[in-house]
Amino acid sequence: MDVIGGRHRLYVNSQKYYLKGDPTYDIGGKKQTEIVTPEKTFIQESYVACYVSGTIAFVPALDLEKLRETKNATVMLECPNGQTIVFPDASFVDDQSVSGGEGEVSFKFVGDGKAKVMMP
């Protein structure tokens, strides 16, 4: 029987970060978009970068400056279904908003190209 449910785990260069809630991610690669005209529907192909975003716990050991300056890191997301997704050469992007009352820090890492999905 397959195990379903549980928690995601996030690692940046082998350092574990404690997630709050579930992350959002895209493995990247080829994206197909429909373009509809009165005469015909077309499919346009483009490429998107892989990313993972979400919220981590603001624990005492968390260095906000170091997190924000992360570049070319190996980011791994372990999923509850047993898959591990590796985002290569990932860098911290977007705003790093901190919620003091909730003890949360938002994050987004964007990798180079397509993520590697490893099956259990």
Side-chain angles (χ1 to χ4, degrees), residues 10 15-21 54-68 92 96-107:
L10 181 74
Q15 181 178 348
K16 183 176 183 177
Y17 288 88
Y18 296 94
L19 291 169
K20 293 189 86 174
T55 305
I56 55 177
F58 192 6
V59 297
L62 179 60
D63 184 340
L64 293 174
E65 185 175 355
K66 181 180 174 187
L67 180 66
R68 180 176 283 222
F92 189 98
Q96 180 188 58
S97 61
V98 178
S99 171
E102 296 295 323
E104 299 175 343
V105 178
S106 62
F107 72 90

Side-chain angles (χ1 to χ4, degrees), residues 27 81-86 116-120:
I27 62 167
N81 65 2
Q83 292 182 351
T84 298
I85 303 170
V86 180
K116 180 177 181 181
V117 179
M118 298 184 296
M119 301 297 184

Side-chain angles (χ1 to χ4, degrees), residues 4-94:
I4 306 246
R7 303 198 129 239
H8 289 84
R9 290 187 277 288
L10 181 74
Y11 297 88
V12 179
N13 289 336
S14 300
Q15 181 178 348
K16 183 176 183 177
Y17 288 88
Y18 296 94
L19 291 169
K20 293 189 86 174
D22 293 325
T24 301
Y25 60 92
D26 188 325
I27 62 167
K30 187 175 12 176
K31 173 185 173 186
Q32 299 181 135
T33 306
E34 66 179 341
I35 300 173
V36 180
T37 68
E39 297 82 28
K40 186 173 168 115
T41 300
F42 298 92
I43 302 299
Q44 176 184 10
E45 292 183 351
S46 60
Y47 287 87
V48 295
C50 58
Y51 77 88
V52 59
S53 64
T55 305
I56 55 177
F58 192 6
V59 297
L62 179 60
D63 184 340
L64 293 174
E65 185 175 355
K66 181 180 174 187
L67 180 66
R68 180 176 283 222
E69 293 175 354
T70 302
K71 291 182 183 176
N72 303 321
T74 299
V75 176
M76 291 189 346
L77 180 66
E78 291 180 353
C79 301
N81 65 2
Q83 292 182 351
T84 298
I85 303 170
V86 180
F87 302 87
D89 299 319
S91 297
F92 189 98
V93 298
D94 285 346

